[in-house]
Amino acid sequence: MRGAINRLKYYGFAAMVLFSVLALPTAAGAATTSTTINSAISSVISVFTSNGTVTANVTPTGAGAQTIASDTITVSTNDTLGYTLQIADSDATTTMVSGANSLAASAGTQASPIAQVVNTWGYRVDGLGGFGAGPTSGQNSAAIGAIKFAGMPANSSPNTIKTTATTASNDTTTVWYGVAANTTQPTGTYSDTVTYTCTAN
Amino acid sequence: MKSIIRNSVLILSVIVAACTGVVASATTTQAASGGLTISPTSVDVTVAPGGTYKGEMLVMNQGELDVAYSVYATPYSVTGEEYKPYFSPIKGATDITKWFTFDKSSNDSLKIGMQESIPYTITVPKDVGAGGYYATVFAETSDKGGAGVVTRKRVGMIVYLRVSGDVKESGSINSWNVDWMQQAPLRADVKVANTGSVHFKANVHVTVSDMFGSKKFSYERSPEILPQKLRDIPISWENGATYGLFKVSGEVTYLNKTEQLPTRYVFVANLPMRLLTVCALIAFVALIVFGSRRVAVRKK
Protein backbone atom coordinates (compact mmCIF):
# COMPACT_ATOMS: atom_id res chain seq x y z
CA MET A 1 0.00 0.00 0.00
CA ARG A 2 2.78 2.38 1.00
CA GLY A 3 4.61 1.46 -2.22
CA ALA A 4 1.53 2.33 -4.24
CA ILE A 5 1.24 5.70 -2.48
CA ASN A 6 4.93 6.41 -3.11
CA ARG A 7 4.53 5.53 -6.80
CA LEU A 8 1.50 7.81 -6.95
CA LYS A 9 3.49 10.63 -5.33
CA TYR A 10 6.34 10.00 -7.73
CA TYR A 11 4.11 10.02 -10.82
CA GLY A 12 2.26 13.05 -9.53
CA PHE A 13 5.52 14.93 -9.03
CA ALA A 14 6.74 13.86 -12.48
CA ALA A 15 3.47 15.00 -14.04
CA MET A 16 3.77 18.35 -12.28
CA VAL A 17 7.33 18.84 -13.54
CA LEU A 18 6.27 17.86 -17.06
CA PHE A 19 3.31 20.23 -16.98
CA SER A 20 5.55 23.03 -15.70
CA VAL A 21 8.03 22.49 -18.49
CA LEU A 22 5.31 22.33 -21.13
CA ALA A 23 3.55 25.35 -19.73
CA LEU A 24 6.74 27.40 -19.58
CA PRO A 25 6.71 28.60 -23.21
CA THR A 26 3.05 29.52 -22.84
CA ALA A 27 3.82 31.53 -19.74
CA ALA A 28 6.85 33.08 -21.46
CA GLY A 29 4.78 33.76 -24.58
CA ALA A 30 2.13 35.41 -22.52
CA ALA A 31 4.74 37.80 -21.17
CA THR A 32 6.12 38.72 -24.63
CA THR A 33 4.92 41.80 -26.48
CA SER A 34 5.35 42.18 -30.23
CA THR A 35 6.34 45.30 -32.10
CA THR A 36 5.69 45.95 -35.74
CA ILE A 37 8.39 47.91 -37.51
CA ASN A 38 7.29 49.90 -40.50
CA SER A 39 9.69 51.67 -42.83
CA ALA A 40 8.72 53.52 -45.99
CA ILE A 41 11.69 53.84 -48.30
CA SER A 42 11.30 56.86 -50.53
CA SER A 43 11.87 56.68 -54.25
CA VAL A 44 14.89 58.55 -55.56
CA ILE A 45 16.39 59.23 -58.95
CA SER A 46 19.67 60.86 -59.88
CA VAL A 47 21.48 61.86 -63.05
CA PHE A 48 25.13 62.81 -63.37
CA THR A 49 27.48 63.47 -66.23
CA SER A 50 31.22 63.32 -66.53
CA ASN A 51 31.31 66.70 -68.23
CA GLY A 52 29.43 69.96 -67.76
CA THR A 53 30.79 70.91 -71.16
CA VAL A 54 31.94 68.57 -73.91
CA THR A 55 34.79 70.17 -75.80
CA ALA A 56 35.19 69.15 -79.42
CA ASN A 57 37.63 71.63 -80.93
CA VAL A 58 38.43 71.24 -84.62
CA THR A 59 41.40 72.38 -86.66
CA PRO A 60 39.75 72.38 -90.09
CA THR A 61 41.27 71.25 -93.36
CA GLY A 62 40.18 71.86 -96.93
CA ALA A 63 38.52 68.45 -97.16
CA GLY A 64 37.15 68.68 -93.63
CA ALA A 65 38.28 67.43 -90.24
CA GLN A 66 36.26 65.76 -87.54
CA THR A 67 36.56 65.73 -83.76
CA ILE A 68 34.64 63.18 -81.71
CA ALA A 69 34.30 63.46 -77.94
CA SER A 70 32.11 61.68 -75.42
CA ASP A 71 30.00 62.38 -72.38
CA THR A 72 28.94 59.69 -69.92
CA ILE A 73 25.56 59.94 -68.22
CA THR A 74 25.10 57.99 -65.01
CA VAL A 75 21.63 57.27 -63.68
CA SER A 76 20.57 55.62 -60.44
CA THR A 77 17.06 54.98 -59.18
CA ASN A 78 15.36 52.65 -56.73
CA ASP A 79 12.10 52.96 -58.64
CA THR A 80 11.20 49.39 -59.59
CA LEU A 81 9.70 50.49 -62.91
CA GLY A 82 13.06 51.82 -64.08
CA TYR A 83 13.71 55.09 -65.83
CA THR A 84 13.64 56.86 -69.18
CA LEU A 85 16.52 59.04 -70.34
CA GLN A 86 15.98 61.57 -73.11
CA ILE A 87 18.19 63.97 -75.00
CA ALA A 88 17.29 67.23 -76.71
CA ASP A 89 18.57 70.68 -77.39
CA SER A 90 17.74 73.11 -74.61
CA ASP A 91 15.77 75.30 -77.00
CA ALA A 92 14.32 75.29 -80.48
CA THR A 93 17.61 76.32 -82.13
CA THR A 94 19.67 73.24 -82.82
CA THR A 95 22.70 74.88 -84.39
CA MET A 96 25.96 75.56 -82.56
CA VAL A 97 26.41 79.30 -82.53
CA SER A 98 29.40 81.62 -82.44
CA GLY A 99 28.22 85.20 -82.68
CA ALA A 100 26.61 85.60 -86.09
CA ASN A 101 28.00 82.29 -87.37
CA SER A 102 26.51 78.88 -86.88
CA LEU A 103 27.28 75.22 -87.33
CA ALA A 104 24.26 73.27 -88.54
CA ALA A 105 22.93 70.16 -86.85
CA SER A 106 23.38 66.92 -88.78
CA ALA A 107 20.54 66.07 -91.17
CA GLY A 108 20.47 62.54 -89.79
CA THR A 109 17.98 61.34 -87.21
CA GLN A 110 18.24 58.78 -84.43
CA ALA A 111 16.34 56.30 -86.59
CA SER A 112 18.28 57.18 -89.75
CA PRO A 113 21.62 58.71 -88.85
CA ILE A 114 24.14 59.66 -91.53
CA ALA A 115 27.90 59.96 -91.87
CA GLN A 116 28.89 63.45 -90.90
CA VAL A 117 29.22 66.08 -93.60
CA VAL A 118 31.42 69.14 -93.25
CA ASN A 119 30.28 72.06 -91.12
CA THR A 120 27.78 70.10 -89.04
CA TRP A 121 27.61 68.66 -85.57
CA GLY A 122 25.70 65.68 -84.20
CA TYR A 123 25.43 62.97 -81.58
CA ARG A 124 25.37 59.19 -81.50
CA VAL A 125 24.84 56.42 -78.97
CA ASP A 126 26.39 53.08 -79.87
CA GLY A 127 23.84 50.35 -80.46
CA LEU A 128 20.83 52.67 -80.42
CA GLY A 129 18.36 53.27 -83.26
CA GLY A 130 20.17 53.25 -86.59
CA PHE A 131 23.57 54.19 -85.18
CA GLY A 132 25.06 50.72 -85.35
CA ALA A 133 27.04 48.90 -82.73
CA GLY A 134 30.24 50.90 -82.84
CA PRO A 135 32.32 51.01 -80.74
CA THR A 136 32.95 54.67 -81.34
CA SER A 137 36.26 56.10 -80.25
CA GLY A 138 37.32 59.67 -79.77
CA GLN A 139 39.40 61.53 -82.32
CA ASN A 140 40.83 64.99 -82.69
CA SER A 141 40.67 66.84 -86.03
CA ALA A 142 41.09 63.64 -88.02
CA ALA A 143 39.61 62.82 -91.42
CA ILE A 144 35.83 62.55 -91.47
CA GLY A 145 34.90 58.92 -91.03
CA ALA A 146 31.90 56.83 -91.99
CA ILE A 147 30.56 56.69 -88.47
CA LYS A 148 26.94 57.87 -88.31
CA PHE A 149 25.53 60.82 -86.37
CA ALA A 150 22.10 62.34 -85.82
CA GLY A 151 21.16 65.96 -85.46
CA MET A 152 20.18 67.15 -82.01
CA PRO A 153 16.37 67.36 -81.79
CA ALA A 154 14.71 70.55 -80.60
CA ASN A 155 13.50 70.74 -77.01
CA SER A 156 9.91 70.04 -78.04
CA SER A 157 10.75 66.69 -79.61
CA PRO A 158 13.32 64.89 -77.44
CA ASN A 159 14.77 61.52 -78.36
CA THR A 160 14.75 58.65 -75.90
CA ILE A 161 18.24 57.21 -75.52
CA LYS A 162 17.55 54.66 -72.80
CA THR A 163 14.56 53.00 -71.15
CA THR A 164 14.92 50.47 -68.36
CA ALA A 165 12.36 48.34 -66.56
CA THR A 166 13.87 47.89 -63.12
CA THR A 167 15.99 49.63 -60.51
CA ALA A 168 19.34 51.01 -61.62
CA SER A 169 22.60 51.59 -59.83
CA ASN A 170 25.12 53.80 -61.62
CA ASP A 171 23.77 52.78 -65.00
CA THR A 172 25.83 54.53 -67.66
CA THR A 173 25.06 55.73 -71.17
CA THR A 174 27.78 57.19 -73.37
CA VAL A 175 26.81 59.92 -75.82
CA TRP A 176 29.32 60.77 -78.53
CA TYR A 177 29.42 64.22 -80.05
CA GLY A 178 30.95 64.84 -83.45
CA VAL A 179 31.90 68.18 -84.98
CA ALA A 180 33.13 68.34 -88.58
CA ALA A 181 34.40 71.48 -90.27
CA ASN A 182 36.38 72.55 -93.31
CA THR A 183 38.21 75.80 -93.90
CA THR A 184 35.08 77.60 -95.15
CA GLN A 185 33.65 77.54 -91.62
CA PRO A 186 34.49 80.89 -89.98
CA THR A 187 36.70 80.65 -86.95
CA GLY A 188 35.05 81.10 -83.58
CA THR A 189 33.99 79.51 -80.33
CA TYR A 190 30.83 77.60 -81.18
CA SER A 191 28.48 76.45 -78.48
CA ASP A 192 25.06 74.94 -77.85
CA THR A 193 23.30 73.55 -74.80
CA VAL A 194 21.89 70.03 -74.60
CA THR A 195 19.55 68.79 -71.87
CA TYR A 196 19.47 65.22 -70.55
CA THR A 197 16.06 64.50 -69.04
CA CYS A 198 15.58 61.63 -66.65
CA THR A 199 12.30 60.48 -65.09
CA ALA A 200 11.12 57.29 -63.47
CA ASN A 201 8.70 55.17 -65.48
CA MET B 1 84.81 60.94 -71.76
CA LYS B 2 82.69 64.10 -71.92
CA SER B 3 80.70 62.69 -74.82
CA ILE B 4 80.08 59.47 -72.90
CA ILE B 5 78.76 61.44 -69.92
CA ARG B 6 76.66 63.69 -72.24
CA ASN B 7 75.17 60.64 -73.96
CA SER B 8 74.51 58.93 -70.66
CA VAL B 9 72.71 62.03 -69.34
CA LEU B 10 70.74 62.28 -72.58
CA ILE B 11 69.69 58.63 -72.43
CA LEU B 12 68.80 59.02 -68.76
CA SER B 13 66.76 62.14 -69.56
CA VAL B 14 64.87 60.29 -72.29
CA ILE B 15 64.14 57.41 -69.93
CA VAL B 16 62.99 59.80 -67.18
CA ALA B 17 60.87 61.75 -69.66
CA ALA B 18 59.33 58.56 -70.98
CA CYS B 19 58.64 57.32 -67.47
CA THR B 20 57.13 60.68 -66.51
CA GLY B 21 54.90 60.52 -69.54
CA VAL B 22 53.68 57.06 -68.59
CA VAL B 23 53.02 58.20 -65.04
CA ALA B 24 51.20 61.28 -66.29
CA SER B 25 48.95 59.24 -68.53
CA ALA B 26 48.41 56.67 -65.81
CA THR B 27 47.31 59.31 -63.32
CA THR B 28 44.86 60.93 -65.73
CA THR B 29 41.49 60.79 -64.01
CA GLN B 30 37.95 61.08 -65.28
CA ALA B 31 36.32 64.47 -64.90
CA ALA B 32 34.40 64.97 -61.66
CA SER B 33 30.72 64.21 -62.05
CA GLY B 34 28.03 66.81 -61.55
CA GLY B 35 24.30 66.33 -61.33
CA LEU B 36 21.26 66.12 -59.11
CA THR B 37 19.21 63.62 -57.13
CA ILE B 38 15.55 64.13 -56.25
CA SER B 39 13.01 62.37 -54.07
CA PRO B 40 10.30 61.23 -54.53
CA THR B 41 10.14 60.24 -58.18
CA SER B 42 6.37 60.67 -58.29
CA VAL B 43 3.41 61.72 -56.16
CA ASP B 44 -0.24 60.75 -56.44
CA VAL B 45 -2.50 63.38 -54.90
CA THR B 46 -6.21 64.13 -54.74
CA VAL B 47 -7.47 67.70 -54.51
CA ALA B 48 -11.01 69.06 -54.66
CA PRO B 49 -11.82 71.88 -57.10
CA GLY B 50 -10.82 75.12 -55.41
CA GLY B 51 -8.56 73.24 -53.01
CA THR B 52 -4.82 73.23 -52.51
CA TYR B 53 -2.13 70.64 -51.89
CA LYS B 54 1.19 71.37 -50.25
CA GLY B 55 4.11 69.07 -50.85
CA GLU B 56 7.88 68.94 -50.82
CA MET B 57 10.49 67.67 -53.19
CA LEU B 58 13.95 66.92 -51.89
CA VAL B 59 16.88 67.99 -54.08
CA MET B 60 20.27 66.49 -53.23
CA ASN B 61 23.78 67.01 -54.48
CA GLN B 62 25.44 63.59 -54.37
CA GLY B 63 27.97 64.51 -57.04
CA GLU B 64 31.52 65.73 -56.87
CA LEU B 65 30.89 69.36 -57.78
CA ASP B 66 28.81 72.17 -56.31
CA VAL B 67 25.78 72.67 -58.50
CA ALA B 68 23.43 75.52 -59.38
CA TYR B 69 19.92 74.51 -60.28
CA SER B 70 16.38 75.70 -60.87
CA VAL B 71 12.99 74.14 -60.18
CA TYR B 72 9.95 74.42 -62.43
CA ALA B 73 6.89 72.50 -63.59
CA THR B 74 6.11 71.22 -67.09
CA PRO B 75 3.11 69.37 -68.49
CA TYR B 76 3.33 65.57 -68.47
CA SER B 77 1.83 63.24 -71.01
CA VAL B 78 2.85 60.00 -72.67
CA THR B 79 2.88 58.68 -76.19
CA GLY B 80 2.67 55.08 -77.33
CA GLU B 81 2.02 51.92 -75.38
CA GLU B 82 5.57 52.06 -74.04
CA TYR B 83 4.69 55.35 -72.33
CA LYS B 84 7.35 57.57 -73.83
CA PRO B 85 7.21 60.69 -71.65
CA TYR B 86 6.48 64.10 -73.15
CA PHE B 87 6.94 67.35 -71.28
CA SER B 88 5.74 70.03 -73.70
CA PRO B 89 2.23 71.52 -73.78
CA ILE B 90 -0.29 69.74 -75.94
CA LYS B 91 -2.80 71.78 -77.89
CA GLY B 92 -6.25 71.50 -76.34
CA ALA B 93 -5.02 69.87 -73.13
CA THR B 94 -5.22 71.66 -69.78
CA ASP B 95 -1.80 73.00 -68.84
CA ILE B 96 -1.68 72.67 -65.07
CA THR B 97 1.79 74.15 -64.62
CA LYS B 98 0.10 77.46 -63.74
CA TRP B 99 -1.40 75.73 -60.70
CA PHE B 100 2.09 75.23 -59.20
CA THR B 101 3.91 77.70 -57.00
CA PHE B 102 7.33 77.13 -55.45
CA ASP B 103 8.60 78.66 -52.24
CA LYS B 104 12.06 78.59 -53.76
CA SER B 105 12.75 78.03 -57.43
CA SER B 106 16.54 78.18 -57.70
CA ASN B 107 19.81 77.78 -55.88
CA ASP B 108 23.05 79.30 -57.08
CA SER B 109 25.22 76.71 -55.37
CA LEU B 110 24.07 73.53 -53.71
CA LYS B 111 27.22 72.29 -52.04
CA ILE B 112 28.51 68.74 -52.36
CA GLY B 113 26.71 66.40 -50.00
CA MET B 114 23.98 68.93 -49.17
CA GLN B 115 20.26 68.64 -49.74
CA GLU B 116 17.41 71.09 -49.91
CA SER B 117 13.68 70.70 -49.51
CA ILE B 118 11.62 72.50 -52.13
CA PRO B 119 8.09 73.18 -50.84
CA TYR B 120 5.46 73.57 -53.53
CA THR B 121 1.75 74.27 -53.62
CA ILE B 122 -0.80 73.06 -56.14
CA THR B 123 -3.84 75.31 -56.28
CA VAL B 124 -6.70 73.82 -58.25
CA PRO B 125 -9.09 76.39 -59.73
CA LYS B 126 -12.73 76.13 -58.68
CA ASP B 127 -14.08 75.70 -62.18
CA VAL B 128 -11.95 72.67 -63.06
CA GLY B 129 -13.75 69.47 -63.90
CA ALA B 130 -13.15 66.24 -62.05
CA GLY B 131 -10.54 63.88 -63.51
CA GLY B 132 -6.84 63.29 -63.88
CA TYR B 133 -4.30 66.05 -64.53
CA TYR B 134 -0.57 65.58 -64.89
CA ALA B 135 2.66 67.53 -64.58
CA THR B 136 6.34 67.05 -63.87
CA VAL B 137 8.36 69.06 -61.39
CA PHE B 138 11.93 69.29 -62.63
CA ALA B 139 15.15 70.17 -60.89
CA GLU B 140 17.58 71.24 -63.61
CA THR B 141 21.25 72.11 -63.39
CA SER B 142 22.24 75.54 -64.69
CA ASP B 143 25.46 74.56 -66.45
CA LYS B 144 26.97 77.34 -68.48
CA GLY B 145 29.89 77.28 -70.85
CA GLY B 146 31.47 79.28 -73.59
CA ALA B 147 32.59 76.59 -75.99
CA GLY B 148 31.46 73.17 -77.13
CA VAL B 149 28.35 71.28 -76.07
CA VAL B 150 27.11 72.43 -72.68
CA THR B 151 25.16 69.63 -70.98
CA ARG B 152 22.37 70.30 -68.52
CA LYS B 153 20.84 67.57 -66.41
CA ARG B 154 17.26 67.53 -65.20
CA VAL B 155 15.44 64.99 -63.09
CA GLY B 156 11.68 65.03 -62.75
CA MET B 157 9.05 64.15 -60.20
CA ILE B 158 5.82 63.14 -61.91
CA VAL B 159 2.67 64.55 -60.34
CA TYR B 160 -0.46 62.43 -60.77
CA LEU B 161 -3.24 64.77 -59.71
CA ARG B 162 -6.81 63.64 -59.25
CA VAL B 163 -9.34 66.43 -59.05
CA SER B 164 -12.13 64.88 -57.06
CA GLY B 165 -15.73 64.80 -58.16
CA ASP B 166 -17.69 62.75 -60.60
CA VAL B 167 -14.86 60.84 -62.23
CA LYS B 168 -15.22 57.81 -64.43
CA GLU B 169 -13.01 54.90 -63.38
CA SER B 170 -12.84 52.04 -65.82
CA GLY B 171 -10.24 49.86 -67.44
CA SER B 172 -9.48 46.41 -68.74
CA ILE B 173 -6.72 44.00 -69.57
CA ASN B 174 -6.20 44.44 -73.24
CA SER B 175 -3.83 41.55 -73.88
CA TRP B 176 -1.49 39.03 -72.26
CA ASN B 177 1.26 37.85 -74.55
CA VAL B 178 3.71 35.05 -73.88
CA ASP B 179 5.32 33.36 -76.89
CA TRP B 180 5.38 29.58 -76.42
CA MET B 181 8.96 29.26 -77.66
CA GLN B 182 11.59 31.81 -76.68
CA GLN B 183 15.26 32.37 -76.17
CA ALA B 184 16.45 33.63 -72.81
CA PRO B 185 15.52 35.94 -71.23
CA LEU B 186 11.93 34.74 -70.96
CA ARG B 187 9.65 37.64 -71.84
CA ALA B 188 5.98 38.35 -71.45
CA ASP B 189 3.89 41.46 -71.60
CA VAL B 190 0.53 42.52 -70.37
CA LYS B 191 -1.33 45.53 -71.71
CA VAL B 192 -3.72 47.41 -69.47
CA ALA B 193 -6.16 49.96 -70.85
CA ASN B 194 -7.63 52.89 -68.98
CA THR B 195 -10.98 53.88 -70.47
CA GLY B 196 -11.88 56.28 -67.68
CA SER B 197 -11.15 59.90 -66.89
CA VAL B 198 -8.59 59.43 -64.12
CA HIS B 199 -5.42 57.40 -63.63
CA PHE B 200 -5.21 54.19 -61.60
CA LYS B 201 -2.48 51.82 -60.48
CA ALA B 202 -2.43 48.32 -61.92
CA ASN B 203 -0.67 45.80 -59.71
CA VAL B 204 0.84 43.20 -62.02
CA HIS B 205 2.03 39.98 -60.39
CA VAL B 206 3.55 37.32 -62.61
CA THR B 207 5.33 34.14 -61.58
CA VAL B 208 7.39 31.68 -63.59
CA SER B 209 7.53 28.10 -62.32
CA ASP B 210 9.22 24.97 -63.57
CA MET B 211 7.22 21.86 -64.47
CA PHE B 212 7.45 20.59 -60.89
CA GLY B 213 5.75 23.73 -59.61
CA SER B 214 8.85 25.27 -58.08
CA LYS B 215 8.75 29.08 -58.36
CA LYS B 216 11.75 30.37 -60.29
CA PHE B 217 10.93 34.02 -60.89
CA SER B 218 8.47 36.53 -59.55
CA TYR B 219 7.59 39.95 -60.94
CA GLU B 220 5.48 42.52 -59.16
CA ARG B 221 5.07 46.14 -60.21
CA SER B 222 2.35 48.76 -59.87
CA PRO B 223 2.57 51.20 -62.77
CA GLU B 224 0.16 54.08 -63.21
CA ILE B 225 -2.25 53.81 -66.12
CA LEU B 226 -3.24 57.20 -67.53
CA PRO B 227 -6.77 57.91 -68.72
CA GLN B 228 -7.62 56.96 -72.29
CA LYS B 229 -4.23 55.27 -72.64
CA LEU B 230 -3.04 51.72 -73.15
CA ARG B 231 0.11 50.73 -71.27
CA ASP B 232 2.37 47.90 -72.27
CA ILE B 233 3.98 46.42 -69.16
CA PRO B 234 6.97 44.28 -70.19
CA ILE B 235 8.06 41.41 -67.97
CA SER B 236 11.53 39.99 -68.45
CA TRP B 237 13.30 37.23 -66.54
CA GLU B 238 16.79 38.70 -66.76
CA ASN B 239 19.66 36.31 -66.02
CA GLY B 240 17.11 33.51 -65.78
CA ALA B 241 17.09 29.96 -67.08
CA THR B 242 18.37 29.45 -70.61
CA TYR B 243 16.77 26.07 -71.17
CA GLY B 244 13.62 24.35 -70.00
CA LEU B 245 9.86 24.23 -70.02
CA PHE B 246 8.21 26.78 -67.77
CA LYS B 247 4.76 27.74 -66.61
CA VAL B 248 3.92 31.46 -66.62
CA SER B 249 0.95 32.63 -64.59
CA GLY B 250 -0.17 35.80 -62.92
CA GLU B 251 -2.84 38.27 -62.01
CA VAL B 252 -3.56 41.96 -62.38
CA THR B 253 -5.27 43.93 -59.63
CA TYR B 254 -6.76 47.28 -60.53
CA LEU B 255 -9.78 49.37 -59.58
CA ASN B 256 -10.55 47.01 -56.65
CA LYS B 257 -10.75 43.89 -58.77
CA THR B 258 -8.32 41.08 -59.55
CA GLU B 259 -8.16 39.33 -62.90
CA GLN B 260 -6.24 36.10 -63.39
CA LEU B 261 -3.99 35.90 -66.42
CA PRO B 262 -4.36 32.62 -68.32
CA THR B 263 -1.51 30.22 -67.59
CA ARG B 264 0.93 29.84 -70.45
CA TYR B 265 3.68 27.28 -71.06
CA VAL B 266 6.97 28.45 -72.52
CA PHE B 267 9.82 26.44 -73.92
CA VAL B 268 13.06 28.40 -73.42
CA ALA B 269 16.03 27.36 -75.54
CA ASN B 270 18.48 28.85 -77.96
CA LEU B 271 18.72 27.52 -81.53
CA PRO B 272 21.30 24.73 -80.95
CA MET B 273 19.37 23.50 -77.90
CA ARG B 274 16.14 23.54 -79.89
CA LEU B 275 17.75 21.36 -82.57
CA LEU B 276 19.19 19.08 -79.91
CA THR B 277 15.76 18.79 -78.27
CA VAL B 278 14.08 17.96 -81.59
CA CYS B 279 16.75 15.31 -82.29
CA ALA B 280 16.29 13.82 -78.84
CA LEU B 281 12.52 13.69 -79.32
CA ILE B 282 12.89 12.02 -82.73
CA ALA B 283 15.31 9.46 -81.26
CA PHE B 284 12.92 8.82 -78.39
CA VAL B 285 9.96 8.28 -80.71
CA ALA B 286 12.08 6.06 -82.98
CA LEU B 287 13.17 3.93 -80.04
CA ILE B 288 9.55 3.42 -78.97
CA VAL B 289 8.43 2.54 -82.50
CA PHE B 290 11.27 0.10 -83.12
CA GLY B 291 10.91 -1.35 -79.65
CA SER B 292 7.19 -2.00 -80.06
CA ARG B 293 7.80 -3.56 -83.50
CA ARG B 294 10.44 -5.90 -82.08
CA VAL B 295 8.05 -6.96 -79.34
CA ALA B 296 5.34 -7.60 -81.94
CA VAL B 297 7.74 -9.68 -84.08
CA ARG B 298 8.82 -11.75 -81.06
CA LYS B 299 5.18 -12.44 -80.14
CA LYS B 300 4.56 -13.74 -83.67
Side-chain angles (χ1 to χ4, degrees):
Chain A
M1 182 64 182
R2 184 176 285 176
I5 290 169
N6 283 342
R7 271 202 300 276
L8 202 62
K9 277 182 183 173
Y10 173 77
Y11 287 133
F13 179 73
M16 201 171 71
V17 168
L18 185 65
F19 176 76
S20 302
V21 170
L22 290 175
L24 195 61
T26 311
T32 304
T33 57
S34 62
T35 303
T36 304
I37 300 169
N38 288 319
S39 174
I41 303 207
S42 302
S43 55
V44 293
I45 188 165
S46 64
V47 61
F48 295 94
T49 62
S50 54
N51 297 294
T53 302
V54 181
T55 304
N57 297 335
V58 182
T59 304
T61 61
Q66 183 184 42
T67 293
I68 299 172
S70 70
D71 193 18
T72 301
I73 306 147
T74 305
V75 177
S76 297
T77 182
N78 63 352
D79 194 305
T80 53
L81 288 166
Y83 71 89
T84 297
L85 178 63
Q86 295 182 316
I87 190 171
D89 204 289
S90 293
D91 53 31
T93 306
T94 60
T95 54
M96 289 182 83
V97 175
S98 172
N101 300 315
S102 62
L103 198 63
S106 167
T109 63
Q110 190 163 289
S112 300
I114 58 170
Q116 224 170 355
V117 296
V118 290
N119 304 331
T120 64
W121 75 288
Y123 79 98
R124 65 171 278 123
V125 178
D126 288 351
L128 177 71
F131 289 122
T136 306
S137 51
Q139 66 178 43
N140 190 1
S141 299
I144 298 172
I147 201 153
K148 293 177 177 177
F149 286 85
M152 190 59 62
N155 60 345
S156 59
S157 52
N159 281 338
T160 300
I161 56 174
K162 186 171 269 188
T163 302
T164 66
T166 189
T167 58
S169 177
N170 293 323
D171 189 30
T172 59
T173 303
T174 300
V175 178
W176 294 91
Y177 292 95
V179 178
N182 65 10
T183 47
T184 65
Q185 185 70 33
T187 185
T189 303
Y190 291 80
S191 179
D192 195 19
T193 304
V194 165
T195 301
Y196 302 125
T197 300
C198 194
T199 49
N201 292 327
Chain B
M1 183 64 186
K2 271 187 180 175
S3 66
I4 292 171
I5 293 170
R6 201 184 304 131
N7 286 343
S8 301
V9 168
L10 194 65
I11 290 165
L12 193 66
S13 303
V14 169
I15 292 169
V16 168
C19 288
T20 311
V22 169
V23 170
S25 65
T27 54
T28 300
T29 54
Q30 198 181 3
S33 65
L36 289 169
T37 302
I38 62 160
S39 180
T41 58
S42 66
V43 290
D44 192 340
V45 298
T46 301
V47 184
T52 58
Y53 172 82
K54 288 181 183 295
E56 287 185 350
M57 183 174 80
L58 198 62
V59 180
M60 295 165 268
N61 182 357
Q62 298 176 332
E64 298 164 333
L65 300 169
D66 293 348
V67 64
Y69 72 92
S70 60
V71 174
Y72 58 91
T74 70
Y76 174 72
S77 59
V78 296
T79 55
E81 296 173 2
E82 73 280 10
Y83 268 44
K84 181 183 172 187
Y86 189 67
F87 306 106
S88 296
I90 292 176
K91 210 173 180 180
T94 307
D95 181 358
I96 69 165
T97 57
K98 290 170 279 188
W99 303 357
F100 284 76
T101 52
F102 298 95
D103 289 9
K104 186 179 183 183
S105 60
S106 65
N107 186 331
D108 290 338
S109 181
L110 184 62
K111 303 290 181 192
I112 300 166
M114 301 303 286
Q115 61 184 42
E116 189 170 32
S117 180
I118 305 293
Y120 63 89
T121 304
I122 306 170
T123 306
V124 178
K126 281 182 183 171
D127 58 348
V128 166
Y133 298 87
Y134 309 99
T136 307
V137 176
F138 277 110
E140 179 174 339
T141 62
S142 310
D143 298 86
K144 292 183 178 108
V149 181
V150 179
T151 60
R152 287 185 182 162
K153 285 71 67 177
R154 63 175 184 173
V155 268
M157 175 185 78
I158 300 166
V159 179
Y160 298 95
L161 172 63
R162 171 196 286 250
V163 174
S164 54
D166 188 17
V167 295
K168 182 188 173 193
E169 290 185 306
S170 66
S172 62
I173 296 172
N174 186 272
S175 67
W176 162 235
N177 299 310
V178 191
D179 289 343
W180 69 274
M181 187 155 66
Q182 300 186 28
Q183 292 196 39
L186 188 155
R187 293 181 195 279
D189 72 85
V190 59
K191 293 180 184 177
V192 181
N194 184 339
T195 50
S197 62
V198 69
H199 59 281
F200 62 78
K201 271 188 195 290
N203 179 263
V204 178
H205 188 202
V206 172
T207 56
V208 178
S209 312
D210 63 19
M211 296 319 294
F212 303 104
S214 172
K215 191 161 78 176
K216 298 293 180 186
F217 172 68
S218 180
Y219 172 99
E220 188 163 9
R221 302 281 190 276
S222 298
E224 296 277 6
I225 315 296
L226 297 184
Q228 302 302 313
K229 295 284 181 184
L230 179 67
R231 183 163 192 169
D232 183 5
I233 302 156
I235 297 131
S236 180
W237 184 13
E238 297 295 338
N239 304 314
T242 54
Y243 181 77
L245 191 60
F246 297 95
K247 188 172 83 169
V248 184
S249 53
E251 60 184 31
V252 181
T253 304
Y254 62 102
L255 297 174
N256 300 319
K257 62 181 175 183
T258 299
E259 285 189 35
Q260 295 295 322
L261 299 170
T263 297
R264 300 281 164 78
Y265 291 89
V266 182
F267 176 56
V268 178
N270 58 18
L271 193 59
M273 288 306 290
R274 285 178 195 176
L275 291 172
L276 199 66
T277 306
V278 170
C279 291
L281 281 173
I282 290 169
F284 180 70
V285 171
L287 273 172
I288 290 174
V289 170
F290 286 123
S292 56
R293 277 187 183 175
R294 283 183 72 177
V295 169
V297 169
R298 276 184 188 170
K299 277 185 179 173
K300 280 182 184 176

